[in-house]
Amino acid sequence: AGISGAIQVLGDAMPPEDPRRPVVKEILEQINRLDRTVRDLLTYSRPATPERLELDLVESVGRAWSLLAPQPAAAGIRYSLEGGQSLRVHADPQLLHQVWVNLFQNAIEAMAGGGELRVFITGPGPVLVEIRDSGTGVDQVHAERLFRPFFSTKTRGTGLGLAISKKIIDAHLGRIWCVGHPGKGSSFFVEMPR
């Protein structure tokens, strides 16, 4: 925060036509990237202790998508949610929100040219949420390693989003896994007890 603040002060003092402004902008972007990495590391290293509240899973998933849908990268993506009107579970709303955001963000990045994102939610026994994208897909060898810390198939990111998601789902006594279809998309499954 201190470095970022100092760089912003320097940037604000420069006239708009100063040729050093793009360098200041790049420094700020790199500081933000480092900040995200440190936050992800701290989140991963902290034990996830869920606060179990009753929540509507359909609403939880829908809210996470509504936050990401306005970003330019999601512009060409057709989203649908299939399942019950309401499905209540006892889980931590904030932690589950983080899982859905991580899974949706990965799906958006896998469908850079647009595509279809379908979510299926089923019950009444253990709840199963499937997030299926029509992106580039992932082969099964990579699919089995996706939830390891620092493993990533992308050039950007920390490689901690899915590891954090797994840790959160494990803390809810659930399971998370991926089935990839190279060139045809991927399906991420989250199974949780009611």
Side-chain angles (χ1 to χ4, degrees):
I3 294 170
S4 180
I7 294 295
Q8 285 177 3
V9 168
L10 287 175
D12 291 345
M14 293 178 182
E17 66 280 352
D18 193 311
R20 296 173 294 177
R21 284 185 82 78
V23 175
V24 169
K25 183 180 178 200
E26 179 62 25
I27 290 169
L28 287 171
E29 287 175 7
Q30 292 304 319
I31 288 171
N32 288 335
R33 186 183 63 78
L34 287 170
D35 185 53
R36 283 191 305 273
T37 301
V38 170
R39 270 199 321 262
D40 284 350
L41 280 167
L42 290 172
T43 300
Y44 182 74
S45 66
R46 281 188 215 118
T49 307
E51 180 185 357
R52 296 188 185 277
L53 304 173
E54 186 175 312
L55 64 90
D56 183 342
L57 196 58
V58 174
E59 183 182 311
S60 173
V61 170
R63 192 172 353 164
W65 174 252
S66 68
L67 276 172
L68 295 177
Q71 64 180 295
I77 295 175
R78 294 173 310 282
Y79 170 82
S80 66
L81 189 146
E82 300 173 28
Q85 299 291 61
S86 175
L87 189 56
R88 305 207 72 75
V89 295
H90 285 87
D92 188 304
Q94 292 177 336
L95 292 176
L96 273 191
H97 179 79
Q98 186 173 3
V99 171
W100 310 138
V101 167
N102 286 341
L103 294 175
F104 285 146
Q105 190 62 51
N106 284 348
I108 289 168
E109 291 170 8
M111 298 184 287
E116 190 171 8
L117 179 60
R118 299 175 70 191
V119 179
F120 304 90
I121 301 177
T122 57
V127 175
L128 184 66
V129 178
E130 177 187 357
I131 297 176
R132 183 187 308 167
D133 69 62
S134 63
T136 54
V138 62
D139 62 51
Q140 207 49 43
V141 173
H142 284 129
E144 292 169 10
R145 296 168 47 197
L146 286 175
F147 300 97
R148 292 183 187 164
F150 307 109
F151 179 82
S152 180
T153 59
K154 303 178 287 189
T155 56
R156 296 176 55 107
T158 61
L160 286 170
L162 290 175
I164 290 168
S165 296
K166 181 178 181 346
K167 199 170 183 179
I168 290 169
I169 296 303
D170 288 349
H172 282 85
L173 306 177
R175 297 185 316 135
I176 183 169
W177 70 96
C178 173
V179 176
H181 310 285
K184 297 180 181 175
S186 300
S187 290
F188 283 83
F189 296 90
V190 175
E191 183 183 70
M192 292 177 51
R194 285 295 290 273

